[in-house]
Amino acid sequence: MRLYNTLTRQKEQFIPIKPDEVGFYVCGPTVYNHIHIGNARTFISFDVIRRYFEYLGYQVNFIQNITDVDDKIINRAAEEGITPDAVAKKYTEAFIQAMQTLGVKPPSQQPRATEELAAMISIIKHLVDNGHAYVVDGDVYFAVRSYADYGALSGRNIDQLKSGARVEVDERKSDALDFALWKAAKPGEPAWDSPWGPGRPGWHIECSAMSQRYLGESFDIHGGGEDLIFPHHENEIAQSKAAGNGFARYWLHGGMLTINEEKMSKSVGNFLLLKDVLNQVRPQALRLLMLQSHYRSPFDYSPMRLDEAESALIRVENALRNLDWAANAEPAFTTEDLGQANQLHQQLQITDQRFTEQMDDDFNTAGAVAAIYQLISDANTSISSGLAGPAHAQAASDTAAVIRRLLGVLGIDLVEASIELPAGIIALANELTGFAGDNLDKAAADLLALRAFARSTQDWQTADAIREGLSALGLGIEDTANGMRLFLTDRQS
Ligand SMILES: [Zn+2]
């Protein structure tokens, strides 16, 4: 398996520190609001990468922090008129709920910054003792120039950075680039005791401390959105390495999300929260859409693409319904063409191989999804040929299993694929066949029986009326070797 390492700017062979194990750290949310759709993309990407390692048989220790103390949380508390602690609790719960809805697996451990102060203070103390950090009025700063490799991850040079406008000016710091490891408490702010007086940790030190605590001084993969490369990840590396740790070997970064080709920002007014998007689309469809792009590529979101995603998901569901149906069909007569069943079986092996090749190439989910779509297309062709018999039933059952297994690696779990008949079918049957009753299946059977009769007597008008009526309800009719059956069309509901 090869993965792109931001640190070396190339694809590298993945070699884990311990055979068959992966230590994996992904920066979690700062819980001051509901997450936006760009965050959701990052967390979906890393969920799929984790799932793929597990699929290959690795034991993955997946750690994601929750930043539950931060300026943004304190500001939000003032806005909402509640305590910072209450803000953090509220949005932590919302985050965990959102991840569950999206089908993102829970981390092996999900440490919270406010519960990990001891680990942070221990590293900061070490950095003060070995001269990489200094104390000013209860604040502790990391001395960026004391760490020679600063800038290696982001490819920036210290002197260019210094002239950059983004660096905050604080005269108490020895160098404008130095960043806070510990912030002395201001009145009314949450504070914890430390050797430097009451205060709270800086954001960057959290991840250095929590990754070390749960994954050890050296671990395999550190991930996050591309926007975290600088300064967050650069600072994490500086702190951890200056404290004598090996830290992460591979750095993976997810590409950014734009909306209608514009950067998402509050000032542009296109800031889109995940919860609002999930009012419009099923989570599985959103995953399918996002995974059609490589995780490092930019991803452009638009409402039109949501519709496409929903249609794509319906196509997948219909294919599975058709396969389940073919797998369980009891053929009225047998027209076995073993060649075709064998061909579908061969296609399964090819699909598995393609899927793995694509995922082994820096988790190319776009190629992996394409491999599944190709199999679906082949399966549809095979099923609509109308052939039947035990070999076909077996091929259909095996194909459905492969599709479900591969979708599972992408975290797309589809519920049982039986047709839910629309309630309108009762009225239609009543109108066209005189059906009286409230059983949906019986109403459907009546309509199909009448259509079969109408066709046998060349009463095309009745046959067409039934087809059109069903079509208006989102149902299609298929004539197969096993008789007629209904299927859900790709129509948007
Ligand atoms: Zn982090």
Side-chain angles (χ1 to χ4, degrees), residues 73-91:
I73 296 172
I74 294 167
N75 295 341
R76 183 80 182 206
E79 274 169 42
E80 293 196 13
I82 52 178
T83 64
D85 190 45
V87 169
K89 279 210 171 73
K90 174 177 165 184
Y91 292 109

Side-chain angles (χ1 to χ4, degrees), residues 15 62 70 124-125 181 186 201 205 215 226 243 256 266 270 295 316 369 412 476:
I15 303 164
F62 190 91
D70 187 85
I124 299 172
K125 241 163 136 176
L181 298 170
K186 292 183 193 130
I205 196 69
L215 295 171
E226 196 179 81
M256 293 292 101
K266 276 188 180 137
N270 63 351
Y295 78 95
V316 174
V369 169
I412 299 169

Side-chain angles (χ1 to χ4, degrees), residues 215-386:
L215 295 171
E217 293 181 356
S218 296
F219 59 95
D220 298 297
I221 302 176
H222 194 312
E226 196 179 81
D227 54 338
L228 297 185
I229 295 176
F230 187 86
H232 184 54
H233 289 165
E234 199 72 77
N235 291 352
E236 281 187 36
I237 292 175
Q239 297 159 163
S240 291
K241 294 244 177 181
N245 296 343
F247 211 40
R249 292 173 71 165
Y250 301 94
W251 285 84
L252 270 53
H253 290 101
M256 293 292 101
L257 180 141
T258 52
I259 295 182
N260 295 316
E261 296 182 350
E262 256 186 306
K263 202 176 167 219
M264 186 165 36
S265 80
K266 276 188 180 137
S267 54
V268 178
N270 63 351
F271 202 82
L272 201 49
L273 297 178
L274 172 67
K275 70 185 179 78
D276 297 328
V277 174
L278 288 180
N279 283 334
Q280 300 164 54
V281 71
R282 287 183 287 168
Q284 297 99 323
L286 186 64
R287 281 186 86 110
L288 192 59
L289 174 68
M290 288 183 165
L291 296 175
Q292 286 175 36
S293 298
H294 190 275
Y295 78 95
R296 280 193 289 118
S297 308
F299 177 87
D300 190 50
Y301 170 94
S302 71
M304 208 169 68
R305 293 195 74 185
L306 277 192
D307 289 345
E308 285 166 20
E310 188 64 37
S311 305
L313 187 64
I314 290 171
R315 270 198 299 281
V316 174
E317 288 174 319
N318 279 347
L320 284 172
R321 277 191 196 102
N322 289 340
L323 287 165
D324 288 349
W325 177 83
N328 296 311
E330 298 208 3
F333 55 91
T334 301
T335 51
E336 280 273 75
D337 172 353
L338 292 178
Q340 208 185 25
N342 288 341
Q343 217 174 4
L344 196 53
H345 267 124
Q346 273 173 18
Q347 209 52 48
L348 299 185
Q349 287 179 8
I350 294 170
T351 304
D352 254 328
Q353 199 183 336
R354 270 191 203 144
F355 183 90
T356 309
E357 271 169 19
Q358 295 296 330
M359 291 299 283
D360 277 348
D361 180 15
D362 194 30
F363 314 103
N364 185 6
T365 55
V369 169
I372 298 174
Y373 281 173
Q374 183 57 52
L375 177 60
I376 285 173
S377 162
D378 294 337
N380 284 343
T381 307
S382 175
I383 284 184
S384 62
S385 69

Side-chain angles (χ1 to χ4, degrees), residues 25 27 65 203 207 222 232-233 236:
Y25 186 92
C27 295
N65 66 304
W203 173 37
C207 292
H222 194 312
H232 184 54
H233 289 165
E236 281 187 36

Side-chain angles (χ1 to χ4, degrees), residues 56 203 425 492:
L56 295 181
W203 173 37
I425 202 161
Q492 293 280 308

